Every structure is written in C-alpha cells, then in structure tokens.
Amino acid sequence: MIGADDLTWIFGSSRSGSTWLLKMLRDHPGVVPIDETAIGHHLGVWRPIALAYGTSDDVPPLTTYDQIKRSNPDYVFSDEHREHWEPLLRDFLLARLDVQWPGQNGHGPRRMVIKEPGGSHVADWLLELLPEARLVFLLRDGRDVVDSWLDAYQSGAWGEEEGAYPVADHGRVAFIRWQSEVWRYRTETVLRAFERHDPERRVLVRYEQLLADTERELARVHDVVAVGATAEQIRATAERHAYVRTPAGERGSGKAVRFAQPGHWTETMSDEEQATMHEVMGPLLRRLGYDA
C-alpha cells in the first residue's frame, strides 16, 4: 500500500505553471502523476463566496468554512474531536490514492506527484495529516496569476470548458479583487506549511526562475522528489517541454498555455485594476521579494 513517504505535493496557486511542471516530472518512469485530486475544494470551501466581491460594500476577510466552524463540537472536523476524525481522514486519503498506485517497480524508487494548486488553501491541513510527504512550493507573481485568470474568463477561452464565463467589463474590478484575495490566501497558507515542513522534504521554486533556467530549477525539484533522475534526463526533459516547442496554435490568449511572459499584467490592466491588485497583494508580494 502507498505510504505518505511516497507522496509529493505541488502546492502554490493556480495558473503558476503547475501543469507544465507535472508534465516534465511525469517524463521520469519513477513518477506517478496525479493531476488534481480536488480534495481542497471539498475540505476548504470559501467564505464569503465569490459573489460577495461584486455585491457587498464591505467584503469580510476571506477564509474557509472549516476555519469558521472548527470550534463547534458538532462540526464533523471540529478541533474538539480531532483525535477521532484525523486518523480516519489520513487513512481515507492514502487508501484513495492507493487505487492509482502501481507500487515499486524494482528499478528504483517511485513517487506519486500530486499537482494540487486548487487545494493549496488547505495545504497546511494536508501536510499536518501527512507530514512524511514531500512539498514543492511553486510560487508565481500574483499579478500574473490574476492576469492569466482574466484571460481564461473571456468568451471562447479554455476556461469555459471548466465552468468559467466571460467577465463583463463592469465586473472586472470585482473579479480582480476576488482572484487577488484567493492568491494571497493560498500563498500565505502554503508559505506557513513550507516553513513548518522538514527542510529535507521541501523546495520552493519560483515560476519566473523555472522559466528562465528550467534545467536548474527542475533539478532542484527532482532532488526533493528523489526518484534518481540523472542530469542527462533532466536536460532532455527541459528541452522537450520548452515553451517554444508548444505549437503556435496551442498557445497565446485564450489558451491554457499563454505567453510565458512575466509582467504581462502591465499591458492588460487599467490603473484602477492594478491598484486593486496592489491593495490586496502588495504587502505579501514585497515580503516575497517582488517589486510592488
């Protein structure tokens, strides 16, 4: 059966290159890839709902339902009854992942690598349940993340297939504020989890550096995943998955693979929209070393 030590979680923010990173990692025969379990969407339900950002004059701080209810002893995941439900939740997660675990192959170690940006707002919860797991913190400038989501929420874009919709012009500022809050919350949560996690089982990779020197940053990730990737394998993978190798018709505006251009938000957002992002994300961006 799969163990927590066999797991590597990729946490961070959606639209941070996690799909690209997982594609590169899955090239190695020792990696068993999982493209979003969506467990975070079930454990960490947002409060307030996104509608609040377009309808309320004074939106309360973003949090999750479990954080609001945890002191209520009747809540299924209450703090008071943690000793009873926590081991069951851990066992459930491992048993479910075991269904897709082929085990060791006799030719070196294997790791299940789980891309889970959409569950990053409960990254601390999941890593408390599974502290033996490895952590890849994929960090991207939140302004580019929001810009990418704006592109996905337009008519004919890839996001429509996953429940997105065209954002009206009058709704752009509210949408930008919501997405900025989500980036901030998820990034702060993963940062806390990262700081608490075993240093030998974690790595922080910036999207901007992964783009600029893919081979070097991919090697750093492989050091934590620990499936025995060689320098030659990593070099070949980085070359094979370079942005320029994506067919022209499969990249650009409205596509899941967009521009790979840090700072593109400066070309697409008004002064008001940029000010909204900086109001929400500015302090955290500066803390993380971004020019904001």
Side-chain angles (χ1 to χ4, degrees), residues 22-57:
L22 185 65
K23 284 180 179 179
M24 290 192 287
L25 291 171
R26 76 190 306 164
D27 272 8
H28 193 284
V31 169
V32 179
I34 299 292
D35 190 353
E36 297 252 21
T37 69
I39 186 66
H41 291 290
H42 297 278
L43 295 179
V45 180
W46 294 116
R47 287 292 184 273
I49 61 175
L51 180 64
Y53 289 78
T55 59
S56 175
D57 290 329

Side-chain angles (χ1 to χ4, degrees), residues 48-252:
I49 61 175
L51 180 64
Y53 289 78
T55 59
S56 175
D57 290 329
D58 187 15
V59 181
L62 186 63
T63 186
T64 53
Y65 184 80
D66 63 288
Q67 294 298 314
I68 294 172
K69 301 292 288 186
R70 62 190 303 171
S71 63
N72 181 347
D74 295 335
Y75 176 52
V76 69
F77 295 126
S78 68
D79 285 344
E80 183 174 336
H81 302 300
R82 178 176 293 272
E83 64 181 296
H84 300 287
W85 61 258
E86 192 170 60
L88 296 174
L89 183 56
R90 173 188 166 95
D91 290 346
F92 164 75
L93 289 170
L94 290 175
R96 172 58 186 86
L97 293 172
D98 190 63
V99 174
Q100 293 172 259
W101 177 241
Q104 304 300 338
N105 59 11
H107 300 289
R110 275 191 171 176
R111 296 278 184 264
M112 179 175 281
V113 178
I114 307 168
K115 165 201 158 189
E116 203 75 68
S120 294
H121 51 298
V122 295
D124 50 353
W125 190 354
L126 292 173
L127 290 172
E128 285 172 5
L129 289 171
L130 304 162
E132 310 94 327
R134 292 162 171 78
L135 166 62
V136 177
F137 180 5
L138 183 57
L139 175 64
R140 186 182 187 185
D141 186 328
R143 295 164 294 189
D144 282 317
V145 169
V146 174
D147 180 52
S148 186
W149 274 124
L150 265 176
D151 185 74
Y153 276 71
Q154 63 173 316
S155 181
W158 68 272
E160 286 191 320
E161 298 179 1
E162 299 189 9
Y165 53 87
V167 173
D169 287 344
H170 67 265
R172 281 175 60 96
V173 171
F175 180 85
I176 286 169
R177 182 175 293 279
W178 158 249
Q179 290 291 349
S180 297
E181 290 282 7
V182 168
W183 178 87
R184 181 193 57 77
Y185 192 101
R186 283 178 170 159
T187 301
E188 287 179 341
T189 300
V190 181
L191 184 58
R192 285 196 305 271
F194 181 85
E195 291 171 344
R196 297 170 186 167
H197 208 57
D198 182 350
E200 295 186 1
R201 293 173 177 269
R202 71 184 191 193
V203 62
L204 189 157
V205 176
R206 293 177 185 265
Y207 168 82
E208 297 82 8
Q209 294 175 348
L210 183 63
L211 188 64
D213 194 339
T214 305
E215 185 178 336
R216 180 192 65 195
E217 296 304 301
L218 185 58
R220 294 180 61 236
V221 174
H222 266 293
D223 284 345
V224 169
V225 176
V227 288
T230 66
E232 183 179 351
Q233 287 175 316
I234 293 171
R235 184 179 306 110
T237 292
E239 292 176 356
R240 185 161 48 249
H241 292 279
Y243 174 78
V244 294
R245 292 187 178 273
T246 304
E250 298 178 12
R251 53 186 164 97

